[in-house]
Amino acid sequence: MTVKTIITEPNKLLRQISKPVENVGKAEQQLMNDMLDTMYDANGIGLAAIQIGIPKRIIVMDIAKDGKKDPRYFVNPVILNKDPIKNTHEEGCLSVPEQFAEIDRPSKCEVEYLDYNGKKQLLKADGLLATCIQHEMDHLEGILFIDYLSKLKKSMIIKKLSKLKSNTAVL
Ligand code: ZN
């Protein structure tokens, strides 16, 4: 088990556009294992590779409740369809610690991706799953959920996070 350090806002790395994965091999599977360990350790439900500093189009998620485990792996995910009906969810992010906001997103979406074994898969997502996959896919484009907020709200959050950082000793 390898728990990696999660990068937090403000950090330029989080604004980078991640690159497609050419082949799902041992190295990519190891990365997915580490990402999952890191996500579980931080009590998150989703993590994109760029959040541990690796600009690859890889996401791990687990939205199972009550201590059950249901890990999901998405390599090179592409959204094929988005429902015009929006849904509002309170979102947080491991890279934006302790900040939450209500965000509107398409309530359903269809996603094509490669799984842990490099096999092509199609997922019809709704509810929390749809919100989570769209949030994580934003990371691949360098977008954070706070980008959907007003400029004022966003700058207040970034100020708070910067303060938090300068008060934390790097060990
Ligand atoms: Zn996030």
Side-chain angles (χ1 to χ4, degrees):
M1 164 164 168
T2 315
V3 173
K4 306 280 185 184
T5 304
I6 297 173
I7 294 169
T8 58
E9 176 79 345
N11 188 309
K12 275 186 187 158
L13 270 175
L14 292 169
R15 300 306 184 172
Q16 210 170 311
I17 293 174
S18 295
K19 294 204 173 74
V21 173
E22 281 173 24
N23 166 51
V24 184
K26 282 238 166 80
E28 288 72 22
Q29 290 178 334
Q30 186 56 50
L31 171 60
M32 287 189 259
N33 295 341
D34 289 349
M35 285 169 64
L36 203 68
D37 289 340
T38 305
M39 184 190 83
Y40 284 141
D41 182 69
N43 292 317
I45 58 170
L47 189 80
I50 192 63
Q51 292 180 272
I52 56 166
I54 297 168
K56 288 187 179 176
R57 302 185 84 81
I58 298 179
I59 290 164
V60 296
M61 278 171 47
D62 190 339
I63 59 165
K65 284 186 184 136
D66 308 323
K68 286 181 201 133
K69 284 197 176 170
D70 179 22
R72 295 168 185 266
Y73 309 88
F74 301 87
V75 179
N76 298 341
V78 177
I79 290 187
L80 302 179
N81 282 303
K82 283 182 184 178
D83 198 298
I85 297 168
K86 301 262 171 109
N87 216 344
T88 309
H89 263 282
E90 183 170 74
E91 295 189 22
C93 179
L94 294 175
S95 293
V96 188
E98 289 166 42
Q99 305 300 317
F100 301 91
E102 300 218 312
I103 307 292
D104 292 337
R105 295 186 189 270
S107 59
K108 292 177 190 169
C109 63
E110 213 173 337
V111 186
E112 193 181 71
Y113 62 98
L114 301 177
D115 66 14
Y116 188 82
N117 297 306
K119 223 178 124 200
K120 198 181 252 191
Q121 302 282 356
L122 190 70
L123 173 75
K124 285 184 182 174
D126 61 9
L128 178 61
L129 184 60
T131 296
C132 194
I133 186 84
Q134 291 174 71
H135 172 119
E136 298 309 327
M137 283 181 70
D138 273 354
H139 279 298
L140 308 182
E141 308 302 329
I143 298 168
L144 298 174
F145 79 93
I146 53 172
D147 297 349
Y148 297 106
L149 303 174
S150 69
K151 271 192 180 165
L152 182 68
K153 262 191 193 166
K154 183 180 163 181
S155 69
M156 271 167 61
I157 287 177
I158 291 177
K159 241 183 226 167
K160 261 191 221 165
L161 294 173
S162 306
K163 226 180 194 176
L164 209 73
K165 271 192 186 179
S166 60
N167 290 340
T168 311
V170 180
L171 300 173

